[in-house]
Amino acid sequence: MYEAVAAARNALDDKWGAMNVRDRAAALYKVAAAIEARFDCFVAAEVADTGKPVALASRVDIPRAAANFRTFADLIKLAGIESFQTDTADGRTALNYAVRKPLGVVGVITPWNLPLLLLTWKVAPAMACGNTVVVKPSEETPATATLLADAMKDAGIPDGVYNVVHGFGEGSAGEFLSTHPGVDALTFTGESRTGAAIMAAAAPTVKPVSFELGGKNAAIVFADCDFEETADGLADAVFLNTGQVCLSAERIYVEHSIFEKIVDALKRRAEALTSTLGPLISKEHREKVLGYYRLAREEGACVVTGGGVPQFGDKRDGGWYVEPTILTGLAESARCVKEEIFGPVCHIAPFHDEAQAIAMANDTKYGLAASVWTSNLKRGHRVAHQMKAGITWVNCWFLRDLRTPFGGAGLSGIGREGGMHSLNFYSELNNICVKL
Ligand code: NAD
Ligand code: 6OD
């Protein structure tokens, strides 16, 4: 850890910190190209670490890693600075303008569900702003962060700009990074509880923090939705990556007149997915998810489909699979409706009017994402405006534009990243006031 932070500090003071924006952006484009040149290795490493299907890693994880570098290279080249001509009451005039400087050495701590996507979502803007980084990927998924170091080398990124330390969280690499006095800022994606521990660890050295945390996201489905498009969209929102996406919909509220029809459509999709979904990340995580499946029954749920472990009759039976699961009939106060499960499972409940749907969707300590499904766009806008969520999708889910603000309210995080929000977090803005 000490060597990694020292290497990052040296690189900051040496070539990288002094490089102009045009050259830095050019270097980031080369990183994107180097990821693409090693595309198959990255896919294989992500699949080996997570067990996710090759098709998913090839379609989502690895292309987004390259896109993250290209987007922030584009943005840093185009980013302007604020300036104001100032006229004071006593007749003086001045020019104020801001300059963008790196924060310094940025500690990046990331989870296992979308390992390279989430790591590069933070590394790319941090480097674009001239920072050097020390990353601590999840102990479950170390491989692609290490491969990225090779891609950095291929791209000619100077030694010490990108540093990887492996290890666990508490009492290990994650905690050492959070408390290290040589780390100037921390950016973290993971569980809300871990975010709280990192915040406490960072407090004595007053490090700026950016946190992307957990969610218990709602989908609201109105009777006038495009039915097939909605059922397909919901299946993605619940089951993509075996439900291990912070943005996944674990609570679905459906207008009562189409409640049975939606439950049935989602049940058919879940059952069709049983043989193609990847496993969960680990034995421990499977125990957690199966614990919620048991708890749901104890809390009085009707298990519409799933609720257990699939039997394939082949070597997959040794993996950490669970059945895609649909629950109904729980009270809104049930733990399975309140707590993030992070597996391929949702609870579906009926609602009678818009106000009730909004109230139920917003009755959560989290506030990450929501989706609204309706063909009445006026209503789509109206409901979206009232959602307690950092992002609300209307008639879609996980459709990303990397320039937009991304983050959560409540237990779902602190701050916003994406576009200029990332550039502003990873920069120290200094204002200069010149009397004219
Ligand atoms: P986690 O919080 O257990 O671990 C994330 C990272 O933090 C790992 O690298 C881990 O080693 C490290 N860590 C753990 N304890 C630490 C400590 N005390 N100090 C410093 N570092 C520590 O999360 P996870 O299980 O890897 O990922 C799943 C969670 O992440 C879910 O809650 C999910 O919602 C959340 N998540 C949120 C987003 C988002 O954008 N909001 C994205 C992905 C995942
Ligand atoms: O798309 C992103 O930028 C992002 N941070 C997604 C997070 C997904 C959570 O699992």
Side-chain angles (χ1 to χ4, degrees), residues 109-114 118 121 136-140 167-176 178 188-195 197-198 201 211-215 244-247 285 288 340 342 366 368 406-408 412:
I109 303 177
T110 49
W112 45 257
N113 60 322
L114 300 167
L118 292 170
W121 171 242
K136 207 299 278 173
S138 168
E139 56 277 21
E140 301 282 0
F168 295 87
E170 192 180 353
S172 178
E175 187 175 327
F176 300 155
S178 315
F188 167 72
T189 302
E191 272 194 42
S192 304
R193 252 196 329 254
T194 314
I198 292 178
F211 285 168
E212 297 178 354
L213 309 176
Q244 300 166 117
V245 180
C246 59
L247 309 160
H285 190 51
K288 175 182 159 187
E340 182 186 53
F342 220 57
Y366 291 101
L368 189 58
F406 184 92
S412 292

Side-chain angles (χ1 to χ4, degrees), residues 44-401:
E46 210 70 299
V47 168
D49 270 355
T50 59
K52 67 177 73 192
V54 169
L56 183 60
S58 306
R59 180 169 62 85
V60 176
D61 298 69
I62 311 308
R64 248 304 290 278
N68 286 339
F69 281 99
R70 288 212 173 88
T71 298
F72 289 106
D74 286 346
L75 282 171
I76 196 68
K77 280 195 307 183
L78 297 176
I81 49 170
E82 281 180 280
S83 70
F84 298 92
Q85 181 173 320
T86 309
D87 299 305
T88 66
D90 61 1
R92 288 180 299 167
T93 300
L95 173 66
N96 277 280
Y97 65 97
V99 291
R100 187 180 289 286
K101 294 184 183 163
L103 286 171
V105 176
V106 176
V108 181
I109 303 177
T110 49
W112 45 257
N113 60 322
L114 300 167
L116 189 68
L117 185 161
L118 292 170
L119 182 121
T120 53
W121 171 242
K122 291 171 175 298
V123 167
M127 284 175 58
C129 294
N131 301 285
T132 56
V133 298
V134 178
V135 307
K136 207 299 278 173
S138 168
E139 56 277 21
E140 301 282 0
T141 53
T144 47
T146 305
L147 264 183
L148 184 60
D150 296 336
M152 294 276 178
K153 232 181 181 29
D154 297 346
I157 300 297
D159 286 350
V161 172
Y162 174 81
N163 307 277
V164 189
V165 290
H166 290 295
F168 295 87
E170 192 180 353
S172 178
E175 187 175 327
F176 300 155
L177 192 57
S178 315
T179 50
H180 197 298
V183 171
D184 299 296
L186 284 170
T187 180
F188 167 72
T189 302
E191 272 194 42
S192 304
R193 252 196 329 254
T194 314
I198 292 178
M199 202 165 173
T205 44
V206 198
K207 298 186 205 312
V209 293
S210 176
F211 285 168
E212 297 178 354
L213 309 176
K216 185 74 182 177
N217 311 300
I220 300 181
V221 183
F222 289 97
D224 65 359
C225 67
D226 177 321
F227 191 85
E228 290 303 316
E229 198 179 286
T230 300
D232 288 343
L234 291 175
D236 246 6
V238 178
F239 300 122
L240 188 90
N241 206 35
T242 318
Q244 300 166 117
V245 180
C246 59
L247 309 160
S248 292
E250 292 194 2
R251 297 180 294 139
I252 301 183
Y253 298 104
V254 183
E255 194 161 1
H256 66 99
S257 58
I258 61 161
F259 176 73
E260 296 297 344
K261 211 172 144 201
I262 283 282
V263 170
D264 188 55
L266 213 54
K267 173 179 187 286
R268 277 186 278 111
R269 283 162 176 78
E271 287 167 359
L273 280 169
T274 305
S275 59
T276 56
L277 278 192
L280 295 171
I281 187 70
S282 63
K283 183 169 187 271
E284 294 69 32
H285 190 51
R286 183 165 80 162
E287 265 152 29
K288 175 182 159 187
V289 172
L290 289 175
Y292 276 105
Y293 286 6
R294 280 192 297 276
L295 177 65
R297 288 187 174 94
E298 286 160 26
E299 290 187 309
C302 161
V303 180
V304 174
T305 187
V309 172
Q311 295 303 315
F312 298 107
D314 56 34
K315 62 184 178 188
R316 283 176 295 172
D317 288 339
W320 314 127
Y321 291 87
V322 292
E323 288 174 325
T325 295
I326 296 174
L327 309 169
T328 57
L330 285 170
E332 282 299 295
S333 58
R335 282 182 55 203
C336 289
V337 178
K338 288 282 169 261
E339 298 173 12
E340 182 186 53
I341 300 174
F342 220 57
V345 53
C346 67
H347 178 251
I348 314 184
F351 68 83
H352 288 273
D353 60 42
E354 191 177 304
Q356 186 195 15
I358 294 167
M360 290 198 291
N362 285 345
D363 185 13
T364 170
K365 291 193 169 125
Y366 291 101
L368 189 58
S371 58
V372 182
W373 304 83
T374 175
S375 53
N376 176 349
L377 276 187
K378 208 166 163 187
R379 171 156 60 193
H381 286 284
R382 185 171 67 232
V383 174
H385 278 249
Q386 295 174 78
M387 297 315 297
K388 177 186 161 195
I391 183 164
T392 299
W393 282 286
V394 179
N395 296 327
C396 56
W397 175 79
F398 205 1
L399 196 169
R400 295 280 288 115
D401 180 326

